[in-house]
Amino acid sequence: MDCIFCKIANKEIPKEFTYEDEEVMVFPDIHPIKPVHLLIIPKTHVTELVAVEDPVLFQKIFSVAQQMIKREGLTDKPHRVGINGGGAQDIDHLHIHLMGPLNATDKM
């Protein structure tokens, strides 16, 4: 498979993780648009949100997102959690963008 996120998950491409466990990895976006811009990614190759069939994986991804919001001090600050799908993503592997803090004028 030629998926960059799968290669990172399989340690074929070195990456420093903000968080990692058996199912999920988190690291900064290489083109951040906010001071905090993390990617939350399942290690299993799933193309997009509607393709997640395992409810445990679904729960795990969002649990890690909650942990990252708290860890990054965004709990009481404007932030955005975004998921692209249906071909709108650059990499066809489910990933969540956690971005913040946001300003009142931010449009995304």
Side-chain angles (χ1 to χ4, degrees):
M1 183 174 295
D2 198 33
C3 172
I4 191 165
F5 290 158
C6 288
K7 289 179 179 181
I8 291 169
N10 293 327
K11 310 294 187 201
E12 296 171 38
I13 297 174
K15 191 60 135 172
E16 193 169 315
F17 297 103
T18 303
Y19 173 90
E20 181 184 24
D21 64 26
E22 292 295 318
E23 295 94 13
V24 178
M25 57 188 175
V26 179
F27 52 83
D29 191 294
I30 61 170
H31 301 292
I33 60 173
K34 289 291 160 196
V36 174
H37 189 164
L38 298 177
L39 301 179
I40 302 162
I41 309 166
K43 289 184 174 181
T44 303
H45 186 81
V46 179
T47 56
E48 62 177 296
L49 187 63
V50 298
V52 177
E53 295 178 357
D54 180 359
V56 174
L57 178 61
F58 192 84
Q59 181 181 3
K60 176 67 179 223
I61 293 167
F62 284 95
S63 174
V64 171
Q66 288 176 321
Q67 290 175 47
M68 294 300 103
I69 290 166
K70 292 174 186 171
R71 176 181 172 168
E72 297 297 324
L74 296 173
T75 304
D76 296 326
K77 295 178 182 152
H79 59 276
R80 176 151 300 155
V81 177
I83 306 170
N84 296 325
Q89 65 272 30
D90 290 335
I91 299 171
D92 286 329
H93 185 127
L94 174 65
H95 56 287
I96 296 174
H97 292 260
L98 170 60
M99 298 166 280
L102 301 178
N103 299 317
T105 58
D106 286 335
K107 303 283 185 215
M108 293 183 165

